[in-house]
Amino acid sequence: MERKKALNIAVCVKHIPDPNLPGELDGQRLKRAGVQGVLDPGDEFGVEAGLQLKEAHGGEVTLISMGPAVALEAVRRGLSMGADKGVLVSDDALAGADALTTARVLAAAIAKAGPFDLVIAGVESTDGYTGTMPSSLAEFLGLPQLTFVKSLEGAEGSIRVNRQTVEGYHVVESPLPALISVTAGVNEPRYASFKGIMAAKKKPVEQWSLADLELSSDDVTVNQSVTNIGKAEERQAGEVVEDDGSGAARIADFLKEAKVI
Amino acid sequence: MDFDLAPEQREFTRTVEAFVDDVIRPHAERWDEEAELPMDAVKQMAELGLFGLPFPEEYGGMGGDFLTLCLAIEAIARVDSSLAITLEAAVGLGAMPIWHFGTEEQKQRWLPQLARGEKLAGFGLTEPGGGSDAGATRTTAKLVAGEWVINGSKSFITNSGTSVTEFVTITAVTDDNNGKKEITAIIVPNGTEGFEVGKPYRKMGWHHSDTHELSFNDVRVPEANQLGLRGEGFKNFLKILDDGRIAIAALAVGLAQGCVDESIGYARERTAFGHAIGDFQAIQFKIADMAMKTELARTAYHKAAWLKELGRPYKMEAAMAKLYASEIAVDVARDAVQIHGGYGYIEEFPVCRHFRDSKILEIGEGTSEVMRILIARELGLAQA
């Protein structure tokens, strides 16, 4: 039987302050030092997507991350789930990096660790929420990008996805190599078993500095600045509708307005 | 001195906590009401590797240690004692006797399916006529033409009647030398002719843990089903119970922690006289005491498990951990109900179930009274 071509997959993962804990500000930025960190829950969907493709087609899943040394925990977490190896880019010059800088650095790391057939990222991080990194990364890598993926299917040399839109989804297909950004709910991320956790300790993780990527601190100058931070709007009380016989129609109108139906 | 868990123990505990939040917490109240072991949840626990934690990989296990198992039991018991005891009994009482006392052939045959959680096994020591008093064992087994012929009954046997129960290991009197009973352990596969599993008990708590009375009427199993040496059945089971006590302590700590967490949450939300009740010292002092007891009980079981891992004596520490943790669990659960007021008496609030689930901890796997006797013996005090 002819074997399918194995997929070499890169998954971007981020170490973020535990979103279940109340966040603290450090000036205009989220406080990170000394805060309990986790693998971004949004990235677990990316890792799972990579693992499912690997299980279906064979190949290898490499985790790519940027962050301080402690971010290794997030990489280990992904390795515990079943990824094969990891790359962590750590450099003092990267402290306070913005999304564009992050994309530039991850692109360099992916280029050095690759070549990859597919790059997977979450649509947005659960701390910064800019949602711009995956698109920037695809541009830097010169890859077609399939964003907001709510389901996917790999085939020989191509990938077909359902891309979430406001009203439904588009079916989009692209030749590989490509980049996809996955939404929460694209799959159900597996739990790391104890065996997986033990195995992860022995899996290889490369730790690279900017110099290893042939980038200088000029390449990672942050041009973005936060000008203001405000409180999120309080959640408004819901609308209560007394059912005078038109309740069902009102609910249908409401759902249409919300573009659910 | 080092009180830190190993990184992999911390990480796995976090995994189990996430699993409990996703898979168990949303359904615990309903399962309790339905009073039936939720096999889907058991299957998912098995996929996580929980049932094989302390066994080597060549027997289908995870290659972890005993403390890691206890940490998982604690994490589950914070939310659901019935599933925590299902795991504790499956590993500690079902699989552990095979691992400790089985021949290589018995281990190969029985252990992998238990370690993978595909099958469950029970442990039949207690009888209608006595639990703590092993000398009261009445179940008999006679060797006839290469087969053990078993007659008698066993009570309160966990995991003995599930759809995946594979066997029960029982103790039986195999000889009566002038009143000094010889007790031997024998593996009895479910479905053997004459082996009947009674209907499930209606219990005060642990509602969806599977518990039955078993009866044996001329049940015949091959002589090769004897587990451990003839006459050492009781001694061997006591060793199993030493380990089990650490795990029960972990379960009790989990229940107590669940009560502390629920009480803090409730005390912040509930207002009286214009304040959150958590602002009042009457409530704060209660919660502070509950948290203190829970933490001390946790330290006690961690230490007992640590001594066991190092191969040092731990019998007294295990008994102390079990005794203290189970008694504070009942206290803490009672206080949690008190803090919740009338709502604590309503099943929609988990502390109501925790209170019902707590009492058995002072009874099962050695009563508080037996624990005190054991501790006194270890301190060198003689029997009257």
Side-chain angles (χ1 to χ4, degrees), chain B residues 18 173 233:
Chain B
V173 178

Side-chain angles (χ1 to χ4, degrees), chain A residues 121-173:
Chain A
V123 288
E124 60 189 358
S125 61
T126 313
D127 53 354
Y129 284 108
T130 67
T132 58
M133 200 288 292
S135 293
S136 310
L137 178 58
E139 284 302 307
F140 285 126
L141 290 169
L143 293 177
Q145 51 180 297
L146 294 76
T147 52
F148 297 99
V149 170
K150 65 183 231 105
S151 68
L152 68 151
E153 199 183 322
E156 189 74 13
S158 70
I159 187 158
R160 176 203 285 258
V161 309
N162 290 351
R163 178 179 187 275
Q164 182 78 53
T165 67
V166 176
E167 286 169 338
Y169 62 89
H170 296 146
V171 180
V172 187
E173 193 170 323

Side-chain angles (χ1 to χ4, degrees), chain B residues 5-71:
Chain B
L5 298 170
E8 62 272 18
Q9 290 171 328
R10 277 206 307 275
E11 194 184 339
F12 188 63
T13 304
R14 282 211 298 274
T15 299
V16 177
E17 285 168 355
F19 172 84
V20 168
D21 282 340
D22 296 346
V23 177
I24 298 179
R25 194 186 294 276
H27 310 292
E29 185 198 340
R30 176 170 57 84
W31 290 333
D32 175 82
E33 193 180 352
E34 292 171 355
E36 197 173 324
L37 185 63
M39 293 310 299
D40 271 1
V42 172
K43 187 157 176 275
Q44 290 179 76
M45 286 162 66
E47 283 162 8
L48 204 55
L50 293 177
F51 291 93
L53 273 176
F55 304 114
E57 291 186 29
E58 60 262 40
Y59 295 103
M62 290 280 136
D65 62 6
F66 189 73
L67 180 57
T68 306
L69 170 68
C70 291
L71 295 169

Side-chain angles (χ1 to χ4, degrees), chain A residues 6-144:
Chain A
L7 286 174
N8 201 16
I9 301 164
V11 181
C12 301
V13 294
K14 187 177 186 185
H15 185 252
I16 64 163
D18 187 341
N20 293 316
L21 302 175
E24 275 180 65
L25 284 176
D26 185 3
Q28 299 277 60
R29 300 188 167 281
L30 193 60
K31 187 177 172 206
R32 293 169 189 279
V35 176
Q36 170 70 45
V38 296
L39 168 61
D40 189 324
D43 290 338
E44 290 184 13
F45 297 99
V47 175
E48 179 65 35
L51 294 175
Q52 287 185 10
L53 285 170
K54 174 191 155 177
E55 282 158 5
H57 300 272
E60 206 170 52
V61 174
T62 304
L63 306 174
I64 312 279
S65 188
M66 183 189 103
V70 66
L72 192 58
E73 281 178 25
V75 176
R76 288 270 174 236
R77 185 78 194 159
L79 295 173
S80 301
M81 289 172 71
D84 299 283
K85 54 188 185 178
V87 170
L88 174 64
V89 184
S90 265
D91 201 300
D92 289 345
L94 290 169
D98 59 6
L100 189 64
T101 307
T102 305
R104 189 173 280 132
V105 171
L106 291 179
I110 287 167
K112 182 174 161 79
F116 292 101
D117 302 300
L118 183 67
V119 177
I120 305 176
V123 288
E124 60 189 358
S125 61
T126 313
D127 53 354
Y129 284 108
T130 67
T132 58
M133 200 288 292
S135 293
S136 310
L137 178 58
E139 284 302 307
F140 285 126
L141 290 169
L143 293 177

Side-chain angles (χ1 to χ4, degrees), chain B residues 294-370:
Chain B
T294 306
E295 184 56 25
L296 290 177
R298 180 178 290 119
T299 307
Y301 97 69
H302 282 196
K303 183 178 175 189
W306 174 78
L307 287 170
K308 174 181 150 54
E309 271 324 307
L310 292 180
R312 284 159 53 180
Y314 62 96
K315 197 180 182 68
M316 182 172 75
E317 287 78 2
M320 285 177 170
K322 197 271 183 185
L323 172 62
Y324 183 68
S326 60
E327 295 197 340
I328 69 102
V330 177
D331 290 346
V332 168
R334 187 183 54 241
D335 284 344
V337 169
Q338 193 67 21
I339 288 167
H340 280 67
Y343 289 114
Y345 204 65
I346 304 288
E347 289 289 355
E348 279 152 53
F349 288 77
V351 294
C352 179
R353 173 166 45 87
H354 290 329
F355 191 27
R356 286 190 288 101
D357 285 341
S358 68
K359 182 59 204 172
I360 186 62
L361 296 165
E362 295 179 321
I363 300 170
E365 299 201 27
T367 61
S368 289
E369 292 72 18
V370 165

Side-chain angles (χ1 to χ4, degrees), chain A residues 238-251:
Chain A
E239 186 188 345
V240 179
V241 177
E242 294 281 344
D243 186 15
D244 55 5
S246 66
R250 297 282 296 275
I251 290 172

